[in-house]
Amino acid sequence: MGSTPPERQGAARDRDSEGRARSARPRDGLGRPLAYGAEGVERQPEGVVRTPERSVAEAQELLDAGKPFHAHEVFEDAWKSGPPRERGLWRGLAQLAVGLTHAARGNATGGARLLRRGAGAVEEWAADSGEHRPHGLDPAGLAAWARELAEAVQRGGAAVDARARA
């Protein structure tokens, strides 16, 4: 039965309190699943509605701690719960965080691709909305950072230090 531990073989799929499929396996700081019973990093709660300012602050705290996967979940909550006119911004920010996650995991191709996609989404949103500093963010600066990192990741091919690059 592959890598499923004997105590999990034949068990029902893990579910969250809402009944949605959600792995109960612990995760490391970059969101990678660990073996059942291993010591992991506390996961971000999903579906939390925050103010935009709180979303930015919380995601930045996670990025500063080297946890871009967790920051992505904060941005994803904002994307799903925020006003429709801002969804492109939050989606782009989530893509930037996931791109950094992949780059930190050593996935140069996926990391570079998502960093570029996120940069484009953030720039497009800013151009369409006419907002140049939404919620204290600098979309042009973020896009430039993401493209520079994408180039470095693609050129180097090795995992990056998420804390140092965030």
Side-chain angles (χ1 to χ4, degrees):
M1 290 229 168
S3 63
T4 304
E7 69 273 11
R8 298 287 305 155
Q9 291 178 3
R13 190 170 185 188
D14 296 333
R15 301 276 175 189
D16 67 11
S17 62
E18 304 294 318
R20 293 181 302 253
R22 180 178 168 117
S23 176
R25 289 172 61 183
R27 303 269 176 161
D28 72 4
L30 293 174
R32 292 175 289 217
L34 301 170
Y36 284 100
E39 186 74 26
V41 172
E42 186 175 342
R43 294 175 74 165
Q44 281 300 115
E46 291 182 29
V48 177
V49 177
R50 302 167 184 86
T51 65
E53 292 74 18
R54 184 67 210 138
S55 293
V56 170
E58 193 171 323
Q60 188 61 59
E61 289 168 12
L62 291 162
L63 290 166
D64 291 345
K67 298 178 181 176
F69 177 81
H70 302 281
H72 134 268
E73 291 183 337
V74 172
F75 289 137
E76 191 171 89
D77 284 343
W79 165 16
K80 292 178 179 178
S81 68
R85 71 182 188 288
E86 290 189 358
R87 289 200 177 130
L89 171 66
W90 298 112
R91 184 181 66 244
L93 294 170
Q95 289 170 333
L96 294 177
V98 172
L100 179 57
T101 300
H102 282 283
R105 290 177 177 176
N107 176 359
T109 301
R113 183 178 298 128
L114 281 161
L115 286 163
R116 287 186 182 107
R117 186 180 303 155
V122 168
E123 281 180 327
E124 181 180 335
W125 181 85
D128 290 348
S129 71
E131 292 190 44
H132 301 289
R133 302 263 326 154
H135 311 299
L137 296 167
D138 175 9
L142 287 167
W145 164 84
R147 287 195 174 96
E148 181 275 322
L149 181 55
E151 287 300 317
V153 166
Q154 204 161 31
R155 199 173 39 253
V160 301
D161 179 340
R163 180 178 293 156
R165 296 311 298 247

